[in-house]
Amino acid sequence: MSKDCNVKENYLKVLGEIDKEKTTLIAVSKTKPVSMLQEAYDAGCRDFGENKVQELMEKIPALPKDIRWHMIGHLQKNKVKYIVDQVYLIHSVDSVELAKEIQKQAEKKNCQVNILLEVNVAEEDSKFGIFTDNCEEIAREIAKFDRVHIQGLMTVAPYVENSEENRPVFHKLRDLAVDIGSKNIDNVSMGILSMGMSNDYLVAASEGATYIRVGSSIFGNRIYAV
Ligand SMILES: *Cc1c(COP(=O)(O)O)cnc(C)c1O
């Protein structure tokens, strides 16, 4: 694509700022062309995040097979069937109904599915996600689906000017994971914390993120058609 965005340089810069033993960098490639994903792949990236089923279905066959695809966007029940056996991790499960559909499609495809519960920590009206107080109860319900495996929690923090403002949000997500983890619920693991984006990944990493999801700091700003 354009020479003003050096994907390789950007990817390696972000990677150099985090502890790779503790945190995995997911390159969020939504709206970006396959050529730019290939550049990140060539720089060593194997984890890519997309937020639309259609885009995943176009990109997966066009890129190397050893990529771990992360579904990070809101997932509609009627689209689960297209990706359930294609993605490595679904970060955005926010209801028992959605998990039930994942279970149903996983039975059909005879596969197992790893998921995260998306938590709306800051309780913003504009965001998807489970409220903190309901999280354990929903985890217990979803745990009953034998092909759906909760691996941890995900949050999309508010947009803030100063990334430090999101530290309490990340801290709360970690506390919640520790709390639910301590209950030792069968078929529920709390090992993964997916939190932090271009604006605040350093703060998220310092609060224990095991995945950060970084888009524009790697691929440049996104231009959406109007
Ligand atoms: C787009 C997106 C990101 C990456 O956002 P940037 O600010 O471009 O880094 C991370 N997480 C989710 C859920 C997203 O939709």
Side-chain angles (χ1 to χ4, degrees):
M1 277 296 278
S2 71
K3 285 289 158 231
D4 21 292
C5 181
N6 190 329
V7 171
K8 180 179 179 187
E9 195 174 290
N10 293 344
Y11 172 75
L12 294 176
K13 178 179 176 289
V14 175
L15 200 62
E17 290 169 342
I18 59 171
D19 178 347
K20 291 181 277 294
E21 300 289 309
K22 296 195 175 112
T23 310
T24 299
L25 170 57
I26 298 174
V28 176
S29 46
K30 62 195 187 196
T31 79
K32 299 297 179 181
V34 163
S35 59
M36 288 180 92
L37 279 72
Q38 185 68 49
E39 277 183 61
Y41 181 92
D42 292 341
C45 184
R46 293 296 178 270
D47 290 273
F48 289 86
E50 291 282 341
N51 69 340
K52 292 212 161 64
V53 168
Q54 181 66 35
E55 217 173 322
L56 271 167
M57 288 168 65
E58 288 165 15
K59 285 174 175 172
I60 291 173
L63 283 149
K65 296 286 162 261
D66 61 341
I67 288 175
R68 294 180 289 265
W69 292 98
H70 297 261
M71 174 58 187
I72 62 172
H74 185 63
L75 180 55
Q76 289 171 293
K77 276 189 280 182
N78 62 351
K79 296 197 173 150
V80 169
K81 57 177 175 284
Y82 300 116
I83 58 152
V84 77
D85 60 345
Q86 301 286 315
V87 297
Y88 178 75
L89 184 64
I90 301 173
H91 292 231
S92 44
V93 176
D94 60 359
S95 70
V96 178
E97 292 70 36
L98 177 58
K100 188 177 178 184
E101 178 64 17
I102 294 171
Q103 167 75 15
K104 184 177 150 194
Q105 298 302 331
E107 282 170 5
K108 283 193 187 168
K109 299 250 161 65
N110 192 23
C111 65
Q112 305 288 324
V113 188
N114 289 321
I115 67 156
L116 304 178
L117 297 181
E118 179 170 355
V119 186
N120 184 354
V121 177
E123 304 198 353
E124 292 176 281
D125 290 337
S126 58
K127 294 254 166 73
F128 292 106
I130 300 160
F131 286 173
T132 305
D133 286 348
N134 305 331
C135 206
E136 183 186 333
E137 192 188 326
I138 289 174
R140 287 186 186 278
E141 282 301 310
I142 293 177
K144 295 174 188 163
F145 299 124
D146 64 353
R147 289 174 181 269
V148 181
H149 310 295
I150 298 174
Q151 301 295 343
L153 304 177
M154 175 270 215
T155 198
V156 179
Y159 180 78
V160 290
E161 286 294 326
N162 173 0
S163 59
E164 279 297 328
E165 291 172 48
N166 276 336
R167 188 176 291 280
V169 172
F170 300 137
H171 201 95
K172 273 188 196 157
L173 192 74
R174 187 181 55 180
D175 281 350
L176 181 61
V178 169
D179 180 42
I180 295 175
S182 73
K183 308 283 165 79
N184 291 313
I185 305 165
D186 209 36
N187 193 27
V188 175
S189 160
M190 282 288 133
I192 295 180
L193 282 180
S194 169
M195 56 190 198
M197 312 184 2
S198 289
N199 277 325
D200 52 22
Y201 63 84
L202 285 178
V203 176
S206 74
E207 288 296 331
T210 64
Y211 281 120
I212 54 171
R213 310 178 308 268
V214 180
S216 43
S217 290
I218 296 174
F219 297 107
N221 288 332
R222 288 175 294 274
I223 297 154
Y224 291 98
V226 283

